[in-house]
Amino acid sequence: MLDTIFAGLIHGSAYALVAVGMSLIFGVTNVANFAQGSIVAVGMMTAWWLGTSLGWGVVPTAIAVIVVTGLLGLIMNALVIAPLEGRKPIAALLATIGVGQILDNGLQIIFGTQTRRFPELLPTYNLQFAGVRFGTSDVVMIIFAILSMLGLWAFLKYGKAGQAIRATSQDPQAASQMGIPVKTIRNLSFVIGAVLAGVSGIFVGLFNTNINPMNGGTIGMTAFVAATIGGLGSIPGAVVGGLALGLIESVGISFLGDGAHDLITFGALLIILIIRPQGLLGGDDVKSEPLTGTFLGGGRPINLPWWGNLGLAVFALATPFFFSDYLSGVGTQIAIYSIAAVGLTLISGSAGQTILGMAGPFAVGAYASAILSTRLDWPFLAAFLVAGVIAAIAASILTFPVWKLSGHYVAIATIGVGAVMVAIIRIWEPLTKGSLGIQGIPFPKVFGQSLYTQQMQYLLDVIVLIVTLVIVTRIRSSHLGRVFEAVGSDQEASEALSIRTGAYKALAYALAAFFAGLAGSLLAHQYTYIDPTIFNSNMSILILTIIVLGGMNSPLGAVLGAIVLIGGPELLRVASDARVLLYGVLLVVIILFRPQGLFARKA
């Protein structure tokens, strides 16, 4: 048990370093920086190259990593985040996701995707105490983490620039009126946050010994959970949250196994938020939800006349008869993600609540349909509809306590809900076969006809998408839809009119989960094989990004967003390995220059 606790402290120290940078940035700019994990990977791979190819020691390597990641943080804020000032914070959040994709795929292009051994910049496993083996690298990491936290605390409390950071985090406008250079302070915050992430990458490499360019994403998400547990914006909270999460993970995995990692991590997030909504050391004055609404708050969907909608429907229904197998395969992906995204416009668009964990109900729908078809021999259409209902019920049960939260913690809690759903699927082996997945899922069969070709499946997906668009559009134009719009437009005013905003958000989320479940069912029967790795955080972010690009209040915009984000990378195959990097660039460019979405106009 002692070695388990020690391993938890080591991991927790790494989480704390990254989480402190996240909390510092969030406190000053109100930006949830999802690129922080990618900067960890930049620091790790830079240290690997310097230590392996050039033979540098730990001190010059650390200095180089500090310079590289510090410049990276400055460039990211100056070119991407600062231009988004004054817009809804979800714009900056998604921009950091785009930056993360650029960094991750840039690292893959430069260094390749293979796993490699990290150089022994400091001795590892050369010390022993009470039967526990550890290394000089572990001791240095803990000492560095402690000194970094104390140094940052002293800087913020006594340093002139540190006091300016604190003033800016409390009230940027007042700080500006007092002569504090707010833009410079925000640049400084991003530099400090990036440096802490980069240095933690060195220690992560030393502790794990084997690395690849994608390692940063996992630790970045876990560190974000740690920062939230401690209380976003709280530096001491980030330290406590990082160490606590490291210990919880280490002890939990020792009892439940590594397959329960996500359940432990995100389950801890949900439990802490339910018990203490603002985090362990977060302030009680939680602001109103910052991760809601369209970027400008004034974007309006473009409404086509009836004949325009009819023409688009006829065109969509005709395409399966002319598309090749390849184009039909791409079309099925576009249609499936469109179905989930169109449903999401009800909660993230109309009701104004950002959902960051839609992969959860998507997975539940896929597995429910697969199990009903393979274990109970249900016909496809019955399994398809029941899968949507099961996804809606599961999502509603798990999010029931979430709606009492306030501020940004609601959106963050949905990350945990989605991850917990997938984690339960992974560990419920008697029913789901765990990590092995479910094979032999039958092709969709409608009215006795097995849909075994790409064109047939694409036609089915298009029909379901059209029906989804009709239903969602009718909901939006109904009394219920107008209530959703009222809740999303002004939650406080809605509550003053005795509207139970939490209940209506829960209903909108259940509807969105139902359509995500339908999309998951279609995916399962067309893949014929599913496993938990398909339903990761990237899927959740992709579905959200689709409606952001199309226009968060626009169902048709969601379809256009899916065409761009799903079909676009296929068209970019000419760029080979750089196509996903170009996709990240495209995401950032659209957020910067078309903030209301592709299929919406300014109010």
Side-chain angles (χ1 to χ4, degrees), residues 10-11 13-19 36-49 58 61-62 65-66 69 107 116-119 121 137 141 144 193-213 215-217 219-220 223:
I10 296 297
H11 269 113
S13 298
Y15 296 156
L17 282 173
V18 185
Q36 195 80 340
S38 301
I39 297 176
V40 172
V42 170
M44 184 169 59
M45 297 310 299
T46 301
W48 171 84
W49 181 73
V58 65
T61 297
V65 167
I66 289 172
T69 54
L107 289 175
R116 75 288 312 274
R117 187 168 182 82
F118 196 80
L121 299 175
S137 59
M141 177 177 178
F144 179 82
V195 165
L196 290 173
V199 173
S200 73
I202 300 176
F203 293 112
V204 169
L206 286 168
F207 184 80
N208 291 339
T209 66
N210 292 316
I211 63 167
N212 67 57
N215 284 156
I219 192 172

Side-chain angles (χ1 to χ4, degrees), residues 274-453:
I274 291 169
I275 296 174
R276 185 165 174 78
Q278 67 273 26
L280 296 175
L281 298 181
D284 293 328
D285 55 336
V286 180
K287 300 176 182 178
S288 60
E289 174 63 67
L291 302 182
T292 56
T294 58
F295 292 165
L296 296 180
R300 294 186 299 171
I302 297 173
N303 296 317
L304 298 179
W306 68 267
W307 52 266
N309 290 321
L310 180 61
L312 286 177
V314 171
F315 174 77
L317 289 170
T319 53
F321 298 98
F322 299 99
F323 278 9
S324 64
D325 285 348
Y326 171 72
L327 289 178
S328 295
V330 175
T332 60
Q333 294 296 306
I334 293 172
I336 287 172
Y337 277 92
S338 294
I339 293 165
V342 169
L344 188 58
T345 61
L346 289 173
I347 175 66
S348 292
S350 297
Q353 178 60 63
T354 299
I355 303 296
L356 300 174
M358 285 305 292
F362 203 113
V364 170
Y367 269 86
S369 189
I371 291 169
L372 291 172
S373 299
T374 58
R375 299 279 186 91
L376 302 179
D377 295 323
W378 278 35
F380 166 72
L381 288 178
F384 170 70
L385 293 173
V386 171
V389 174
I390 292 174
I393 293 173
S396 298
I397 292 173
L398 286 176
T399 55
F400 176 73
V402 167
W403 304 112
K404 75 172 188 177
L405 303 178
S406 59
H408 40 270
Y409 294 104
V410 183
I412 293 169
T414 64
I415 300 176
V417 170
V420 165
M421 287 183 181
V422 178
I424 292 174
I425 289 172
R426 180 180 287 109
I427 65 175
W428 200 350
E429 294 186 5
L431 182 65
T432 66
K433 298 185 179 179
S435 299
L436 295 177
I438 299 178
Q439 299 178 349
I441 304 170
F443 286 123
K445 194 172 185 178
V446 180
F447 304 125
Q449 174 64 52
S450 177
L451 309 182
Y452 58 90
T453 68

Side-chain angles (χ1 to χ4, degrees), residues 167-191:
T168 302
S169 67
Q170 293 173 5
D171 192 331
Q173 293 182 347
S176 180
Q177 292 172 357
M178 295 299 294
I180 294 176
V182 173
K183 291 184 178 180
T184 302
I185 293 302
R186 287 176 171 166
N187 283 333
L188 179 60
S189 300
F190 267 87
V191 168

Side-chain angles (χ1 to χ4, degrees), residues 481-502:
R482 288 191 289 271
V483 176
F484 286 160
E485 292 283 354
V487 171
S489 298
D490 195 326
Q491 182 169 322
E492 293 181 357
S494 298
E495 290 174 349
L497 294 173
S498 300
I499 295 175
R500 298 173 60 190
T501 57

